[in-house]
Amino acid sequence: MFKKICAASLTLTMPNYASAQAPVVATDIVPIHALVQAVMQGVGKPELVMPPGASPHSYSMRPGEALALENADLVFWVGEDLTPWLKRPITTLASDAEIITLINTPGIHILPLSHEDGTDPHLWLDPHNGDLWLSEIAQHLAEYDPENAARYWENAQLMQAKIEQVSNEIESMVIPTKNLKYITYHDSFQYFENAFSLPSVGSLLDSDAAQAGAGHFVEFQALLLENEVTCLLSEPGASQALISNMTYPTMRITQADPLGSDLVGAPDLYQNLLLNIAQALRACLEY
Ligand SMILES: [Zn+2]
């Protein structure tokens, strides 16, 4: 009883300390949500605008998702190269919020698209970018909510150490796959390929997951044979018809989700997302 009274009077007399409200934060996709969540650990939980399993390249927002933007104090998103449909709702619905466009973070690795002009938007698949984004996220949260600044920075550093650890793990894991001749389903793994020096031969679909042109087929078959491609790194939602049309039956097929939708709710999502790609490539060897 005494304890209870004591706690109650504490909340009344100590302004805002333990009871301070966490900032309301909205994020675009699962991997960014995971990074922001890691920084906000112990303070609050960010909202996710795009549901897991949807394609960021083409999506239509639902009312509940609009609400997450309307209520937000801060919005973290990769940028319109990844989610062109999100640009308008962010400027109209989240007009009061601070918008942090992560593709503008100084020092991150940015790769061009493989087959056309523009920026490859799958930037989170390079752990170097994840690392720099954690500092960017912590800085904006700390500025907005100085009371929890120490917590944000501490969380970010903890997560950065975890990313370094998983990167080292992946480095040694992929050593046997250095000569693997593989293609990807859609051109989304370039950042991972680049970060760990594992270039793929090509991909069935371009970076925005648009269907390849009709003339692409013959050219692509030639590319596969010429390079003696043995492995396809596929992903959830891939078209089986397209895969069987474009590849040969002896090709080994393995799968990883570049968005980590299959990992939602599990701990260490960002690290496991990266680890899963390395594991998928290894699986192609050990088929
Ligand atoms: Zn994509």
Side-chain angles (χ1 to χ4, degrees):
M1 192 60 192
F2 176 68
K3 258 187 179 171
K4 259 187 187 166
I5 293 166
C6 219
S9 57
L10 268 178
T11 15
L12 287 175
T13 50
M14 285 179 58
N16 283 332
Y17 194 72
S19 61
Q21 276 211 330
V24 180
V25 179
T27 59
D28 54 355
I29 55 167
V30 167
I32 303 304
H33 181 261
L35 293 174
V36 175
Q37 187 159 33
V39 178
M40 293 184 74
Q41 191 72 46
V43 181
K45 279 188 176 157
E47 298 283 335
L48 177 62
V49 172
M50 198 191 80
S55 168
H57 304 299
S58 52
Y59 183 70
S60 299
M61 263 180 38
R62 293 183 201 129
E65 294 148 9
L67 199 66
L69 286 176
E70 265 175 50
N71 295 337
D73 300 315
L74 299 105
V75 178
F76 292 97
W77 73 315
V78 174
E80 60 177 305
D81 292 288
L82 179 68
T83 51
W85 50 272
L86 192 53
K87 189 192 175 183
R88 203 185 149 84
I90 277 186
T91 38
T92 54
L93 297 172
S95 55
D96 299 335
E98 186 189 352
I99 313 297
I100 298 98
T101 306
L102 292 168
I103 199 169
N104 297 334
T105 306
I108 60 166
H109 294 157
I110 294 185
L111 297 170
L113 291 171
S114 302
H115 301 291
E116 53 195 311
D117 289 342
T119 301
D120 183 334
H122 306 88
L123 295 109
W124 65 93
L125 295 178
D126 184 335
H128 166 81
N129 293 347
D131 179 278
L132 290 187
W133 284 345
L134 285 165
S135 301
E136 185 76 4
I137 292 163
Q139 191 187 322
H140 285 278
L141 283 168
E143 278 166 11
Y144 186 87
D145 176 22
E147 207 168 285
N148 287 306
R151 187 76 192 247
Y152 295 135
W153 281 112
E154 194 183 310
N155 285 343
Q157 279 162 12
L158 198 71
M159 183 64 175
Q160 281 164 330
K162 286 183 181 179
I163 291 181
E164 194 187 341
Q165 194 184 345
V166 82
S167 298
N168 292 336
E169 200 178 326
I170 292 171
E171 288 282 359
S172 39
M173 227 172 123
V174 297
I175 292 170
T177 67
K178 290 286 177 186
N179 295 316
L180 179 69
K181 299 290 183 190
Y182 74 102
I183 53 167
T184 60
Y185 180 75
H186 104 271
D187 196 4
S188 57
F189 293 105
Q190 222 198 147
Y191 285 93
F192 186 90
E193 296 171 25
N194 205 58
F196 297 101
S197 310
L198 297 162
S200 67
V201 171
S203 49
L204 291 178
L205 299 178
D206 278 343
S207 182
D208 60 357
Q211 187 84 25
H216 191 56
F217 175 73
V218 177
E219 204 182 302
F220 198 77
Q221 291 277 320
L223 183 81
L224 297 186
L225 291 169
E226 196 182 302
N227 290 282
E228 297 176 3
V229 171
T230 56
C231 172
L232 164 66
L233 176 56
S234 189
E235 60 189 77
S239 155
Q240 292 313 308
L242 180 72
I243 290 176
S244 46
N245 279 340
M246 298 284 279
T247 63
Y248 29 82
T250 54
M251 194 175 287
R252 297 161 190 167
I253 299 173
T254 182
Q255 180 168 301
D257 184 352
L259 282 162
S261 307
D262 51 343
L263 300 168
V264 170
D268 299 330
L269 184 146
Y270 183 77
Q271 300 94 294
N272 283 323
L273 185 164
L274 297 174
L275 208 55
N276 279 358
I277 304 170
Q279 265 157 0
L281 292 174
R282 279 292 295 261
C284 245
L285 282 185
E286 290 149 14
Y287 213 68

